[in-house]
Amino acid sequence: MLRVQKCVIGLVFIAVVVGAIAVFCYAPAYVEASRNNVIEHAPYPVSGPAAALHETLIVGDLHADPLLWNRDLTQRGSRGRVDIPRLIEGNVALQVFTAVTKSPAGQSYDHNDAEARDNITLLAIIQRWPLRTWESLKERAIYQAEKLHRVEADSDGRLKIIRTRADLDAVLAAKANGEEIVGGILGIEGTHPLEGDMANLDPIFDAGHRVYGLQHFFDNAAGGSLHGQEDSGLTDFGRALVAELATRPVVIDLAHSSPQVARDVIAMTDIPLIVSHTGLHSFCPVKRNYPDDLMIEIAQTGGVIGMGYWADVTCGDITPAGIAKMIVAAVDVLGEDHVSLGSDFDGSVETAFDTSELAALTSALMDQGLNEAQIRKVMGENMVRVLRARLQ
C-alpha cells in the first residue's frame, strides 16, 4: 500500500510539473493569440493604382504594443499583427512601439481603480520577464526598450531605432533609396513608470523612449485618466512633468488622458500634441473618443490624431473600408493636416487586418474619394511633420 501511495504521489508531482511547464511554455502564445485576434477574411481588394501609390508613400503608425508579448519580432509571426517582416510587407517606414507597464483588472472605458490588481504583473511572470520587472513599473518600461534594441541588433539592418531628427531623416532617406528598413520609435503608455519621481525620467529617456502618454487606464501621479475616478486635471507633479517634457526632444501623447488633463496640457504648452490611437466622436460617439471640439483644439497645436482600427472607436466596421470611412470623416472635421494612423495593433483588441495589409487601407481611402496629397498626409506625412518638430 505504501508503495502504491508513493507511486500516486509521484504521478501527481509529475503532473503538476508537466502542467507548470505547459503553462510557462504555451500560455503566453495562447494569451496573445486570444487577446490579439485578427478576424479571418479573404484578401482585401487593392486596385492597381492604389498598389502603385502605396509603394511610394511614407507610412507611419503612432501606436502598437508588440513589445508586451514574447514573440521574435525579427520573424514573420503566426499571431499578433506587428513584426519587422510584416511592417516591410506593408511598406511601413515608421512604427511607434509602446511599452505597456500596468493594466488594472476589470479594465473598462468607464471607471478603473488605480489600486486594482495589475494584469501586467501576471503577464510578466508567465512570460518570464526578468525579476526586476515584477514589482517595478520603471523596469518594465526599460525592459521593453531593451527588447526593441535587441530586435534592432538582430534585424540585419531592417530596424533602426529613432531617437533624434537625424535618425528620422536617415531612415527616410534609406527608405527612399529602396532599402527595406523600418524606423522604430519607443514610447510609454502612461507616465506611471516614473513612479511619481522625476528622477526616473532620465533612465526611461536614456532607454530610448520618445513618445510619452501621460495616462493609461487609471489615474496616476501626473493626473486623471479618461477612464479614472473623475475628470481630474494635472497634479502639481503632472505640471512639472509636462513642463520638463516640453523642453526635451519627445512627443506628448494625450491618448487615455482625462479631458481636463488634455486642456491643462494645451494651456501650458506651445508644442504639437498628439492623440496616438483613438476615433472621432461625431463618427462614433463613445467616451473613448474625445469630443470633436477638444480634438480640434489638439489639432490647432499643430498636432495629429491617430485613427485606431478596433470596434470600440469605430462603432462597428473594422475592415480597411470601415477605417477609411472614419478617416475621411476625421479629415472633414480636423483638416487633412491633422489626421494620422494609430492602429493599436497588438494592444489586446480585435482587428480585421494586420500591418502587412496596409495597401488595402490606401485603396479604401482612394475609393472614399481622398486625393493623393491627402492620402500621403494621412498615411504618414503628418506624423513625420510632428516628429521633425519635436525630435530636435
Side-chain angles (χ1 to χ4, degrees):
M1 178 63 73
L2 183 59
R3 185 174 298 174
V4 172
Q5 289 175 337
K6 286 182 178 180
C7 183
V8 171
I9 291 171
L11 289 172
V12 170
F13 175 76
I14 291 171
V16 170
V17 170
V18 170
I21 291 172
V23 167
F24 279 95
C25 289
Y26 300 110
Y30 171 79
V31 171
E32 182 186 6
S34 63
R35 299 294 297 175
N36 294 317
N37 178 51
V38 178
I39 296 171
E40 290 189 20
H41 59 275
Y44 293 111
V46 178
S47 69
L53 173 60
H54 189 78
E55 287 303 306
T56 71
L57 300 178
I58 297 172
V59 180
D61 179 3
L62 285 166
H63 190 94
D65 299 322
L67 297 178
L68 187 59
W69 311 101
N70 273 14
R71 191 156 34 89
D72 182 356
L73 299 183
T74 68
Q75 303 299 312
R76 196 183 199 287
S78 59
R79 62 180 190 272
R81 297 103 179 207
V82 172
D83 48 51
I84 305 307
R86 282 185 281 183
L87 287 166
I88 289 171
E89 287 176 36
N91 194 38
V92 177
L94 302 169
Q95 178 65 62
V96 176
F97 293 85
T98 313
V100 181
T101 56
K102 184 177 178 181
S103 174
Q107 176 178 294
S108 77
Y109 286 126
D110 293 324
H111 298 285
N112 298 288
D113 183 352
E115 303 307 315
R117 177 179 56 79
D118 172 39
N119 291 324
I120 306 302
T121 300
L122 180 59
L123 191 65
I125 293 169
I126 291 175
Q127 295 192 137
R128 290 165 286 172
W129 288 10
L131 284 171
R132 61 187 167 94
T133 68
W134 292 13
E135 294 186 355
S136 171
L137 303 184
K138 178 188 78 172
E139 293 297 335
R140 290 178 192 174
I142 292 171
Y143 172 65
Q144 289 178 68
E146 292 169 351
K147 288 175 70 174
L148 193 65
H149 282 281
R150 287 196 294 272
V151 174
E152 180 185 40
D154 296 338
S155 70
D156 295 324
R158 295 175 300 162
L159 174 69
K160 169 66 177 176
I161 294 177
I162 292 172
R163 296 172 179 257
T164 66
R165 186 191 297 172
D167 292 337
L168 172 65
D169 290 342
V171 166
L172 294 180
K175 196 89 169 63
N177 245 7
E179 293 185 33
E180 292 189 337
I181 187 171
V182 178
I185 302 106
L186 281 158
I188 56 173
E189 190 156 24
T191 53
H192 38 279
L194 273 65
E195 298 171 345
D197 185 351
M198 197 73 76
N200 286 330
L201 179 58
D202 279 343
I204 291 172
F205 178 86
D206 291 344
H209 291 290
R210 293 297 183 268
V211 177
Y212 286 74
L214 298 179
Q215 279 78 35
H216 196 202
F217 269 95
F218 51 92
D219 301 334
N220 63 19
S225 165
L226 179 61
H227 326 286
Q229 298 301 304
E230 56 187 46
D231 182 22
S232 54
L234 289 171
T235 62
D236 289 343
F237 175 78
R239 289 181 177 279
L241 175 61
V242 168
E244 175 62 23
L245 291 175
T247 70
R248 296 194 181 214
V250 303
V251 178
I252 296 177
D253 180 9
L254 299 174
H256 293 292
S257 292
S258 72
Q260 188 57 53
V261 162
R263 294 187 183 96
D264 289 347
V265 174
I266 293 168
M268 68 175 289
T269 61
D270 186 22
I271 61 174
L273 302 168
I274 71 168
V275 183
S276 62
H277 56 303
T278 186
L280 185 73
H281 195 274
S282 55
F283 185 87
C284 178
V286 294
K287 183 177 183 178
R288 179 64 178 80
N289 298 335
Y290 282 153
D292 285 13
D293 60 346
L294 181 53
M295 288 290 206
I296 290 169
E297 287 187 59
I298 295 166
Q300 288 172 343
T301 70
V304 292
I305 314 299
M307 296 290 107
Y309 303 168
W310 74 104
D312 293 320
V313 296
T314 68
C315 286
D317 188 353
I318 55 175
T319 65
I323 305 304
K325 289 176 184 177
M326 181 174 65
I327 287 173
V328 170
V331 167
D332 288 342
V333 171
L334 303 173
E336 63 188 49
D337 295 323
H338 304 288
V339 181
S340 291
L341 308 181
S343 65
D344 203 17
F345 277 149
D346 295 333
S348 292
V349 294
E350 183 176 66
T351 66
F353 56 99
D354 70 18
T355 196
S356 70
E357 301 174 275
L358 282 174
L361 181 57
T362 296
S363 192
L365 290 172
M366 291 182 73
D367 292 343
Q368 287 293 318
L370 289 193
N371 61 43
E372 179 178 325
Q374 291 172 320
I375 292 171
R376 289 186 181 280
K377 289 179 179 182
V378 168
M379 293 297 285
E381 289 181 358
N382 290 338
M383 176 180 174
V384 169
R385 185 191 73 247
V386 172
L387 290 175
R388 280 210 171 108
R390 293 300 300 147
L391 299 181
Q392 300 171 359

PDB file of all heavy atoms in Angstrom, residues 256-270:
ATOM      1  N   HIS A 256      -5.839  58.459 -23.713  1.00  0.00           N
ATOM      2  CA  HIS A 256      -6.219  57.939 -22.392  1.00  0.00           C
ATOM      3  C   HIS A 256      -6.183  58.993 -21.284  1.00  0.00           C
ATOM      4  O   HIS A 256      -6.556  58.687 -20.145  1.00  0.00           O
ATOM      5  CB  HIS A 256      -5.350  56.746 -21.971  1.00  0.00           C
ATOM      6  CG  HIS A 256      -5.526  55.514 -22.794  1.00  0.00           C
ATOM      7  ND1 HIS A 256      -6.697  54.781 -22.783  1.00  0.00           N
ATOM      8  CD2 HIS A 256      -4.694  54.882 -23.659  1.00  0.00           C
ATOM      9  CE1 HIS A 256      -6.571  53.743 -23.594  1.00  0.00           C
ATOM     10  NE2 HIS A 256      -5.365  53.794 -24.153  1.00  0.00           N
ATOM     11  N   SER A 257      -5.744  60.217 -21.557  1.00  0.00           N
ATOM     12  CA  SER A 257      -5.788  61.256 -20.530  1.00  0.00           C
ATOM     13  C   SER A 257      -7.218  61.783 -20.381  1.00  0.00           C
ATOM     14  O   SER A 257      -8.008  61.754 -21.336  1.00  0.00           O
ATOM     15  CB  SER A 257      -4.856  62.414 -20.884  1.00  0.00           C
ATOM     16  OG  SER A 257      -3.508  62.028 -20.821  1.00  0.00           O
ATOM     17  N   SER A 258      -7.540  62.293 -19.193  1.00  0.00           N
ATOM     18  CA  SER A 258      -8.848  62.898 -19.000  1.00  0.00           C
ATOM     19  C   SER A 258      -8.966  64.145 -19.868  1.00  0.00           C
ATOM     20  O   SER A 258      -7.949  64.779 -20.210  1.00  0.00           O
ATOM     21  CB  SER A 258      -9.037  63.282 -17.533  1.00  0.00           C
ATOM     22  OG  SER A 258      -8.219  64.402 -17.201  1.00  0.00           O
ATOM     23  N   PRO A 259     -10.176  64.534 -20.243  1.00  0.00           N
ATOM     24  CA  PRO A 259     -10.325  65.782 -21.000  1.00  0.00           C
ATOM     25  C   PRO A 259      -9.708  66.984 -20.278  1.00  0.00           C
ATOM     26  O   PRO A 259      -9.128  67.858 -20.931  1.00  0.00           O
ATOM     27  CB  PRO A 259     -11.844  65.924 -21.135  1.00  0.00           C
ATOM     28  CG  PRO A 259     -12.342  64.506 -21.131  1.00  0.00           C
ATOM     29  CD  PRO A 259     -11.454  63.804 -20.141  1.00  0.00           C
ATOM     30  N   GLN A 260      -9.790  67.002 -18.946  1.00  0.00           N
ATOM     31  CA  GLN A 260      -9.215  68.135 -18.222  1.00  0.00           C
ATOM     32  C   GLN A 260      -7.695  68.137 -18.297  1.00  0.00           C
ATOM     33  O   GLN A 260      -7.076  69.193 -18.426  1.00  0.00           O
ATOM     34  CB  GLN A 260      -9.660  68.131 -16.761  1.00  0.00           C
ATOM     35  CG  GLN A 260      -9.251  69.390 -15.998  1.00  0.00           C
ATOM     36  CD  GLN A 260      -9.771  70.661 -16.650  1.00  0.00           C
ATOM     37  OE1 GLN A 260     -10.971  70.778 -16.918  1.00  0.00           O
ATOM     38  NE2 GLN A 260      -8.884  71.600 -16.940  1.00  0.00           N
ATOM     39  N   VAL A 261      -7.083  66.943 -18.239  1.00  0.00           N
ATOM     40  CA  VAL A 261      -5.629  66.873 -18.441  1.00  0.00           C
ATOM     41  C   VAL A 261      -5.282  67.416 -19.821  1.00  0.00           C
ATOM     42  O   VAL A 261      -4.331  68.198 -19.982  1.00  0.00           O
ATOM     43  CB  VAL A 261      -5.102  65.433 -18.273  1.00  0.00           C
ATOM     44  CG1 VAL A 261      -3.722  65.278 -18.905  1.00  0.00           C
ATOM     45  CG2 VAL A 261      -5.028  65.061 -16.800  1.00  0.00           C
ATOM     46  N   ALA A 262      -6.035  67.011 -20.842  1.00  0.00           N
ATOM     47  CA  ALA A 262      -5.759  67.494 -22.196  1.00  0.00           C
ATOM     48  C   ALA A 262      -5.834  69.015 -22.250  1.00  0.00           C
ATOM     49  O   ALA A 262      -4.953  69.675 -22.823  1.00  0.00           O
ATOM     50  CB  ALA A 262      -6.742  66.868 -23.186  1.00  0.00           C
ATOM     51  N   ARG A 263      -6.860  69.587 -21.643  1.00  0.00           N
ATOM     52  CA  ARG A 263      -6.999  71.050 -21.660  1.00  0.00           C
ATOM     53  C   ARG A 263      -5.865  71.716 -20.888  1.00  0.00           C
ATOM     54  O   ARG A 263      -5.352  72.768 -21.298  1.00  0.00           O
ATOM     55  CB  ARG A 263      -8.356  71.450 -21.079  1.00  0.00           C
ATOM     56  CG  ARG A 263      -9.538  70.988 -21.945  1.00  0.00           C
ATOM     57  CD  ARG A 263     -10.866  71.532 -21.439  1.00  0.00           C
ATOM     58  NE  ARG A 263     -11.975  71.023 -22.248  1.00  0.00           N
ATOM     59  CZ  ARG A 263     -12.709  69.968 -21.927  1.00  0.00           C
ATOM     60  NH1 ARG A 263     -12.476  69.317 -20.787  1.00  0.00           N
ATOM     61  NH2 ARG A 263     -13.684  69.570 -22.711  1.00  0.00           N
ATOM     62  N   ASP A 264      -5.474  71.121 -19.759  1.00  0.00           N
ATOM     63  CA  ASP A 264      -4.367  71.677 -18.976  1.00  0.00           C
ATOM     64  C   ASP A 264      -3.072  71.683 -19.783  1.00  0.00           C
ATOM     65  O   ASP A 264      -2.314  72.660 -19.761  1.00  0.00           O
ATOM     66  CB  ASP A 264      -4.157  70.866 -17.691  1.00  0.00           C
ATOM     67  CG  ASP A 264      -5.257  71.065 -16.664  1.00  0.00           C
ATOM     68  OD1 ASP A 264      -6.064  72.015 -16.821  1.00  0.00           O
ATOM     69  OD2 ASP A 264      -5.311  70.265 -15.701  1.00  0.00           O
ATOM     70  N   VAL A 265      -2.810  70.585 -20.505  1.00  0.00           N
ATOM     71  CA  VAL A 265      -1.577  70.489 -21.299  1.00  0.00           C
ATOM     72  C   VAL A 265      -1.610  71.500 -22.442  1.00  0.00           C
ATOM     73  O   VAL A 265      -0.608  72.178 -22.717  1.00  0.00           O
ATOM     74  CB  VAL A 265      -1.376  69.062 -21.833  1.00  0.00           C
ATOM     75  CG1 VAL A 265      -0.171  68.999 -22.771  1.00  0.00           C
ATOM     76  CG2 VAL A 265      -1.194  68.080 -20.678  1.00  0.00           C
ATOM     77  N   ILE A 266      -2.743  71.631 -23.113  1.00  0.00           N
ATOM     78  CA  ILE A 266      -2.869  72.619 -24.193  1.00  0.00           C
ATOM     79  C   ILE A 266      -2.586  74.017 -23.663  1.00  0.00           C
ATOM     80  O   ILE A 266      -1.870  74.815 -24.297  1.00  0.00           O
ATOM     81  CB  ILE A 266      -4.272  72.550 -24.825  1.00  0.00           C
ATOM     82  CG1 ILE A 266      -4.478  71.221 -25.568  1.00  0.00           C
ATOM     83  CG2 ILE A 266      -4.496  73.727 -25.785  1.00  0.00           C
ATOM     84  CD1 ILE A 266      -5.919  70.960 -25.976  1.00  0.00           C
ATOM     85  N   ALA A 267      -3.123  74.328 -22.479  1.00  0.00           N
ATOM     86  CA  ALA A 267      -2.992  75.670 -21.921  1.00  0.00           C
ATOM     87  C   ALA A 267      -1.562  76.014 -21.524  1.00  0.00           C
ATOM     88  O   ALA A 267      -1.163  77.182 -21.586  1.00  0.00           O
ATOM     89  CB  ALA A 267      -3.917  75.820 -20.709  1.00  0.00           C
ATOM     90  N   MET A 268      -0.782  75.014 -21.114  1.00  0.00           N
ATOM     91  CA  MET A 268       0.544  75.317 -20.569  1.00  0.00           C
ATOM     92  C   MET A 268       1.697  75.029 -21.531  1.00  0.00           C
ATOM     93  O   MET A 268       2.859  75.197 -21.172  1.00  0.00           O
ATOM     94  CB  MET A 268       0.777  74.564 -19.255  1.00  0.00           C
ATOM     95  CG  MET A 268       0.892  73.065 -19.375  1.00  0.00           C
ATOM     96  SD  MET A 268       1.306  72.273 -17.786  1.00  0.00           S
ATOM     97  CE  MET A 268       3.009  72.799 -17.576  1.00  0.00           C
ATOM     98  N   THR A 269       1.398  74.575 -22.761  1.00  0.00           N
ATOM     99  CA  THR A 269       2.462  74.269 -23.711  1.00  0.00           C
ATOM    100  C   THR A 269       2.244  75.008 -25.022  1.00  0.00           C
ATOM    101  O   THR A 269       1.154  75.512 -25.302  1.00  0.00           O
ATOM    102  CB  THR A 269       2.542  72.763 -24.010  1.00  0.00           C
ATOM    103  OG1 THR A 269       1.304  72.327 -24.592  1.00  0.00           O
ATOM    104  CG2 THR A 269       2.829  71.965 -22.750  1.00  0.00           C
ATOM    105  N   ASP A 270       3.282  75.056 -25.815  1.00  0.00           N
ATOM    106  CA  ASP A 270       3.217  75.641 -27.152  1.00  0.00           C
ATOM    107  C   ASP A 270       3.935  74.707 -28.115  1.00  0.00           C
ATOM    108  O   ASP A 270       4.862  75.095 -28.832  1.00  0.00           O
ATOM    109  CB  ASP A 270       3.873  77.027 -27.154  1.00  0.00           C
ATOM    110  CG  ASP A 270       3.707  77.734 -28.492  1.00  0.00           C
ATOM    111  OD1 ASP A 270       2.779  77.378 -29.240  1.00  0.00           O
ATOM    112  OD2 ASP A 270       4.528  78.621 -28.800  1.00  0.00           O
TER     113      ASP A 270
END
